[in-house]
Amino acid sequence: PWGIHAGGAQIPYGPASDGTSFLGRATRGAGVGSQIGAQDFEIRFTEAATNGNTPKGWRAFQDGAVMNVPFEVWNIGVGTPNNTADDIRLVPAILDNQDQMVFDMGGDHAISGGANDPATDWIYFYHPDADGDGNDDTTPGQAGYESFMFGPGDVHTEVFARLVFVCFNCGTAPPYPQGKHPDVGSVWRITTLKPNNDGDVFTLNTGAYDSDGDGTPEALGAEPKDYTGADSEELLAGIGVSPNPYKGASAYEKSQLIDEVRFTGLPETATIRIFTLNGTLIRTLEKAGPGRTLPWDLTTNNQLPIASGMYLVHVELPGGLEKVIKFAVIKKRVHLNVF
């Protein structure tokens, strides 16, 4: 019947700034030195620690006394949930709602509409600072925890606040049949999403790109495919100019002063030559790379804008394939409204 939530929360989830949700109550320190999102954590229910001492909690918000609790709190690092060698034991601070020096359940939690879902005392996670240097301890083990509970040590970063265990449909008043807390031996693991950190390396492998669209990825650096038979007919039929005719503008243009059309349906390698009707070559474009389109700004090889009229586009592909496209252009009249 047990679940985990935040004490005082009224709604299940929400922004961290609203103060009424799990995020608003439990992650109040996130972003200010918080370990949330950088580490994972466990709450381990046990009656006695491995060193023979009963686990302790710190009544930080009442009298600062140390009380017995039935669990241990650990920072288990990143990506090593089954390797305890790098775990760091944290200091649990307890808001003892019944003020009886006992970790038990109090009133109903608002997470449900019923009145029979009691919640435990509130738990806060703190990283120990055994040497008092103002930094979190990073040495694995429980020396920092022991220094705080039994010696001169201190605490530093608050990780989570106000966590409670909620028992659904467990009664409206003690004694509760299932006990005062989750069973001894149960482990609650909190796994958080991780940010990118210095030293992270991402490798992108583009060697499996299907450049010619035949359904078979080419190896990186492979030679362009030669098309034959039905493949060549299908490829040539798909090559065109967009828009055609060009009527003063296209959807590709981002400025009134820049014209643009695109040659579409192209393979990885192609040579495109644009001629006037009298056979004068005005522009040559080379395509060598992935993608199926190639832009043209309607200028000549000398970067002069072309005039309105009819043009012939000659597309040459590997293997001797060719296609000729008639292309019509109606240029727009430019009106400058900014001087």
Side-chain angles (χ1 to χ4, degrees):
W2 292 99
I4 196 168
H5 211 281
Q10 303 296 313
I11 58 177
Y13 198 74
S17 60
D18 66 11
T20 63
S21 68
F22 176 84
L23 283 178
R25 303 290 292 169
T27 68
R28 63 180 183 176
V32 187
S34 176
Q35 299 293 322
I36 300 175
Q39 309 289 335
D40 295 332
F41 306 90
E42 284 184 350
I43 305 174
R44 305 169 185 172
F45 279 85
T46 176
E47 292 292 358
T50 54
N51 64 355
N53 292 320
T54 301
K56 305 294 182 183
W58 168 44
R59 292 181 15 133
F61 311 101
Q62 286 152 305
D63 53 12
V66 173
M67 58 182 280
N68 292 339
V69 294
F71 58 84
E72 303 171 5
V73 180
W74 292 82
N75 177 332
I76 63 172
V78 180
T80 58
N82 299 316
N83 177 18
T84 60
D86 61 350
D87 295 357
I88 302 172
R89 189 170 181 179
L90 306 184
V91 173
I94 308 299
L95 182 57
D96 184 5
N97 290 307
Q98 308 304 312
D99 201 16
Q100 297 175 340
M101 293 291 288
V102 176
F103 184 83
D104 57 5
M105 288 199 291
D108 180 74
H109 196 285
I111 185 61
S112 75
N116 61 344
D117 308 308
T120 64
D121 294 327
W122 299 6
I123 309 169
Y124 300 68
F125 297 7
Y126 285 92
H127 257 278
D129 175 16
D131 54 13
D133 65 353
N135 297 302
D136 294 334
D137 291 346
T138 58
T139 303
Q142 55 186 23
Y145 159 85
E146 292 178 346
S147 177
F148 176 81
M149 292 297 182
F150 309 113
D154 201 352
V155 293
H156 190 240
T157 302
E158 178 187 280
V159 183
F160 285 100
R162 306 162 173 151
L163 293 184
V164 296
F165 289 92
V166 183
C167 192
F168 282 88
N169 301 323
C170 291
T172 58
Y176 302 108
Q178 79 297 323
K180 301 177 181 180
H181 52 74
D183 292 340
V184 172
S186 60
V187 177
W188 293 71
R189 179 176 296 162
I190 301 175
T191 303
T192 58
L193 298 177
K194 307 301 183 293
N196 294 332
N197 294 310
D198 291 343
D200 288 348
V201 176
F202 295 85
T203 301
L204 305 180
N205 183 355
T206 60
Y209 180 73
D210 181 13
S211 61
D212 50 36
D214 66 351
T216 303
E218 287 76 52
L220 192 63
E223 292 296 325
K225 176 180 177 179
D226 288 338
Y227 291 85
T228 59
D231 285 346
S232 65
E233 295 177 5
E234 181 179 357
L235 174 64
L236 292 174
I239 295 175
V241 185
S242 177
N244 188 10
Y246 175 85
K247 298 180 180 180
S250 77
Y252 308 121
E253 297 170 357
K254 298 178 174 59
S255 167
Q256 294 183 4
L257 303 178
I258 299 176
D259 301 329
E260 184 176 325
V261 297
R262 294 188 183 181
F263 301 102
T264 61
L266 299 171
E268 187 176 56
T269 301
T271 299
I272 298 174
R273 299 179 178 89
I274 298 99
F275 296 86
T276 62
L277 289 182
N278 65 6
T280 301
L281 176 65
I282 61 169
R283 186 67 185 267
T284 300
L285 301 170
E286 297 285 349
K287 180 181 183 298
R292 304 299 300 274
T293 64
L294 184 68
W296 178 36
D297 60 1
L298 299 185
T299 64
T300 68
N301 287 329
N302 295 322
Q303 300 302 307
L304 299 174
I306 65 172
S308 298
M310 290 294 298
Y311 295 86
L312 298 177
V313 178
H314 178 264
V315 182
E316 181 181 354
L317 307 180
L321 295 181
E322 299 176 299
K323 182 174 183 176
V324 176
I325 305 169
K326 293 181 181 179
F327 175 50
V329 176
I330 303 173
K331 297 297 292 292
K332 60 177 172 282
R333 178 178 296 178
V334 177
H335 296 277
L336 297 178
N337 53 16
V338 178
F339 301 90

